[in-house]
């Protein structure tokens, strides 16, 4: 499976000293709240120069986790964390049952969507994000999904390259013009 291939790759990279050793992917627990909030704040700070509409990192709090849990409840979702020795290295939120309802010009269909993916800066490029995505994909397949999506800021070239390497391809792009 994709997860086994990812884990095998992670073990090879660990032997070469290029990966955080022995992290595990597991479901979010309430005790993870403060660390996930810090991961979201770090992501907000990272994306701030790229995204004018994001809240200030210090404005992110436990409310964000509560909102994520609501999205998960509505869309058969789950929050996953990557953990090493009690420290969270990253997290992902998978919404496994997003609905395109068939109104307008599309037919009705259901897809899985990675709503959030963040890896702390000290663990980037070490297989953590790939492992989180692999687990999200495995869960989406387990729910019978044929469509698996993720969003990315167009100017976030590092994330875009990682997602393309994982197998994602462009689907829809929104362009923006700031009116003055």
């Amino acid at each position: 499976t994709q997860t086994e291939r990812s884990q095998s790759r992670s073990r090879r990279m660990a032997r070469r000293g290029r990966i955080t050793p022995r992290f595990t992917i597991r479901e979010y627990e309430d005790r993870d709240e403060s660390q996930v909030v810090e991961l979201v704040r770090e992501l907000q700070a990272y994306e701030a120069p790229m995204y004018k509409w994001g809240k200030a990192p210090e404005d992110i709090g436990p409310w964000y986790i509560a909102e994520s849990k609501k999205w998960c409840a509505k869309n058969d979702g789950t929050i996953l964390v990557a953990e090493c020795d009690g420290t969270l290295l990253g997290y992902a939120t998978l919404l496994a049952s997003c609905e395109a309802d068939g109104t307008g010009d599309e037919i009705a269909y259901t897809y899985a969507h990675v709503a959030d993916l963040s890896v702390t800066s000290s663990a980037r490029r070490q297989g953590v994000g790939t492992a989180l995505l692999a687990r999200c994909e495995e869960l989406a397949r387990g729910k019978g999904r044929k469509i698996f999506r993720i969003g990315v800021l167009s100017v976030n070239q590092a994330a875009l390259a990682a997602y393309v390497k994982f197998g994602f391809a462009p689907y829809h792009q929104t362009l923006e013009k700031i009116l003055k």
Side-chain angles (χ1 to χ4, degrees):
T1 68
Q2 176 71 24
T3 301
E4 290 166 341
R5 285 191 299 273
S6 176
Q7 289 171 343
S8 176
R9 180 176 178 266
S10 294
R11 283 190 295 274
R12 285 192 310 274
M13 291 176 72
R15 285 192 296 272
R16 292 183 220 136
R18 294 188 357 227
I19 190 165
T20 304
R22 295 192 189 175
F23 65 86
T24 58
I25 305 297
R26 63 171 175 78
E27 288 194 21
Y28 170 91
E29 298 172 3
D30 287 338
R31 66 184 168 95
D32 300 323
E33 181 181 80
S34 64
Q35 288 191 73
V36 173
V37 167
E38 285 306 313
L39 287 164
V40 177
R41 287 177 177 162
E42 184 178 339
L43 179 61
Q44 289 294 99
Y46 176 78
E47 288 185 340
M50 299 178 242
Y51 181 58
K52 299 174 191 275
W53 314 119
K55 291 185 184 283
E58 61 273 11
D59 292 341
I60 302 298
W63 63 267
Y64 190 88
I65 306 304
E67 285 299 308
S68 294
K69 286 179 175 181
K70 286 181 190 175
W71 300 337
C72 288
K74 181 180 176 189
N75 297 288
D76 192 18
T78 189
I79 301 170
L80 301 171
V81 297
E83 179 183 43
C84 179
D85 296 328
T87 299
L88 298 190
L89 306 175
Y91 85 102
T93 303
L94 173 69
L95 307 178
S97 295
C98 297
E99 302 289 333
D101 65 6
T103 59
D105 64 348
E106 289 188 339
I107 61 169
Y109 61 95
T110 304
Y111 62 96
H113 176 72
V114 178
D116 284 329
L117 176 66
S118 180
V119 175
T120 190
S121 60
S122 63
R124 288 189 189 132
R125 294 178 180 78
Q126 298 181 39
V128 176
T130 299
L132 284 163
L133 282 174
R135 182 68 179 129
C136 287
E137 181 178 358
E138 183 181 341
L139 291 170
R141 286 178 188 277
K143 301 282 185 180
R145 297 300 157 256
K146 303 289 185 217
I147 302 169
F148 184 48
R149 293 183 178 161
I150 191 167
V152 62
L153 294 174
S154 297
V155 296
N156 190 345
Q157 294 299 308
L160 185 57
Y163 300 157
V164 167
K165 184 176 180 182
F166 188 80
F168 287 100
Y171 162 69
H172 180 268
Q173 193 168 28
T174 300
L175 303 177
E176 179 177 88
K177 178 179 181 178
I178 304 299
L179 303 177
K180 298 177 182 183

